[in-house]
Amino acid sequence: MSQLISTKKAMQILGVASTTIERWADEDRLPSVQTAEGQRSFRLTDVVALLQGQAREMPGDLLSVDNWVEHLTAGIDTAVVRRTLVELHGRLGDWFQVADFLGNVLEEVGDRWCTGKISTIEEHIASGLLEHALTAVVTSMPTAAGAPACLFATLTGEQHTLGLSLARLCIKSSAYKCLWAGAETPVAEITGAIGDIRPAAVALSASVWSTDAGSLSSACREIESACREHRASLILGGRGAWPQDTGDYSYRCQRFEDLRAVLEKINTA
Ligand code: B12
């Protein structure tokens, strides 16, 4: 006979409230045993089995922004987030739609932080967790030999890399080799890499829209000119103040649905 434990102990192991334990017991999702004193108790083996089952993917509605925000800010396990991302991909059909959905999740995280509903630490936990899980998914995707390369960066002063991580997921799923320069990359290094590595595309992201539009614009012009010289496509994403009048080699994406169309255009050019 497995060891019997109290509701309080089951709450601690599963990390849920007593009302949740009661509901699960009523639904027989967590079988309970009546003690001689008429109290509910649980077999440790049943509690552990439920914990392992729970840990396979995130509980709750996969398509609910609030559900995602609540689990991410609570610091759910990275492996669970990774598996849930794969499940979400199965449900929505492709990574472009997953990326647009996660963009809404990040927007909600930002709104809750701005209105004081979550702390700065919770915001950092949520964004760090998502970033790690996205990296785990992307690194598990194979790269075909001879695949065209895409270089990913944000410019000096821009630390928001999550939009770029979402773009990398979409671009990798479209059979590109991904080269991650990451946050705060100096313009001169990007233009140098375009000449040296000769990527087929360069993806830049800027989420802070209050950055001086002039400096973002001049940086963009320099990178655009290197792209033109080496026939690389420049993909600009995020809410940053990118110049409106971009040249022949540049594409501005508001959403990841736009990126799908851009990649189709680049591939057929
Ligand atoms: C997570 C987060 C952080 C994290 C970033 C971690 C990381 N690794 O990215 C940390 C904690 C570092 C951070 C820091 C700061 N942050 Co912040 N942050 C956010 C938050 C919650 C999410 C950012 C994000 O990833 N956005 C999601 C992207 C996916 O959204 P997007 O830029 O609109 O882009 C869309 C599309 O264009 C597309 N996309 C994005 N990039 C790309 C790239 C390509 C190639 C393509 C095709 C598409 C694409 O994706 C989105 C689709 O929905 C936002 C809230 C929000 N509403 O965005 C605030 C937010 C961006 N942050 C903000 C601020 C103010 C800051 C700080 C100044 C705070 C501070 N006082 O220190 C610093 C600035 C740091 C810096 N110098 O960059 C403000 C910016 C406001 C403004 N006026 O510009 C926001 C909007 C919060 C707010 N509502 O006030 N932040």
Side-chain angles (χ1 to χ4, degrees):
M1 173 82 181
S2 167
Q3 183 190 341
L4 289 180
I5 59 167
S6 64
T7 301
K8 194 171 168 202
K9 190 80 195 159
M11 281 164 60
Q12 286 167 352
I13 295 174
L14 291 165
V16 295
S18 62
T19 47
T20 308
I21 298 282
E22 304 253 302
R23 197 181 71 244
W24 287 352
D26 290 343
E27 292 166 353
D28 211 27
R29 192 168 156 196
L30 178 61
S32 63
V33 178
Q34 197 89 353
T35 62
E37 296 79 35
Q39 302 255 308
R40 246 176 183 171
S41 59
F42 304 92
R43 283 182 209 94
L44 183 59
T45 45
D46 289 335
V47 174
V48 171
L50 184 63
L51 182 71
Q52 286 167 345
Q54 252 192 337
R56 271 198 286 274
E57 65 188 53
M58 196 175 78
D61 183 0
L62 212 61
L63 299 174
S64 154
V65 167
D66 288 339
N67 191 38
W68 273 87
V69 174
E70 270 142 39
H71 283 98
L72 288 175
T73 51
I76 190 173
D77 188 68
T78 316
V80 175
V81 180
R82 184 180 62 74
R83 282 194 290 271
T84 312
L85 286 173
V86 174
E87 175 68 22
L88 187 62
H89 171 260
R91 192 79 78 81
L92 293 176
D94 62 49
W95 289 111
F96 298 88
Q97 294 191 58
V98 172
D100 272 328
F101 174 81
L102 294 173
N104 295 337
V105 171
L106 286 165
E107 178 102 40
E108 179 61 24
V109 169
D111 287 351
R112 288 193 192 189
W113 174 70
C114 265
T115 51
K117 289 187 189 126
I118 60 168
S119 65
T120 301
I121 288 184
E122 284 172 313
E123 189 228 341
H124 286 194
I125 288 174
S127 55
L129 195 48
L130 195 55
E131 184 100 69
H132 286 133
L134 289 169
T135 303
V137 172
V138 95
T139 47
S140 70
M141 291 175 173
T143 308
C150 180
L151 179 68
F152 295 82
T154 77
L155 303 179
T156 306
E158 179 62 70
Q159 286 170 16
H160 298 91
T161 49
L162 272 158
L164 202 64
S165 286
L166 293 172
R168 179 173 59 163
L169 197 58
C170 300
I171 292 175
K172 180 99 188 241
S173 74
S174 305
Y176 277 77
K177 176 182 171 185
C178 296
L179 304 169
W180 183 260
E184 307 233 30
T185 310
V187 170
E189 300 226 5
I190 297 176
T191 53
I194 294 168
D196 295 344
I197 304 170
R198 299 292 180 94
V202 177
L204 302 180
S205 181
S207 287
V208 179
W209 59 86
S210 50
T211 308
D212 167 28
S215 62
L216 200 58
S217 182
S218 64
C220 186
R221 300 277 179 240
E222 271 185 61
I223 297 170
E224 204 174 40
S225 132
C227 283
R228 189 174 301 111
E229 188 185 342
H230 298 289
R231 296 176 171 276
S233 298
L234 179 59
I235 307 172
L236 305 169
R239 243 172 268 183
W242 295 117
Q244 295 298 322
D245 55 330
T246 48
D248 296 351
Y249 283 85
S250 308
Y251 302 91
R252 177 79 174 92
C253 296
Q254 301 292 347
R255 295 181 60 79
F256 293 98
E257 261 319 308
D258 303 342
L259 177 60
R260 186 207 302 276
V262 164
L263 292 176
E264 275 165 17
K265 210 165 166 184
I266 293 174
N267 292 343
T268 53

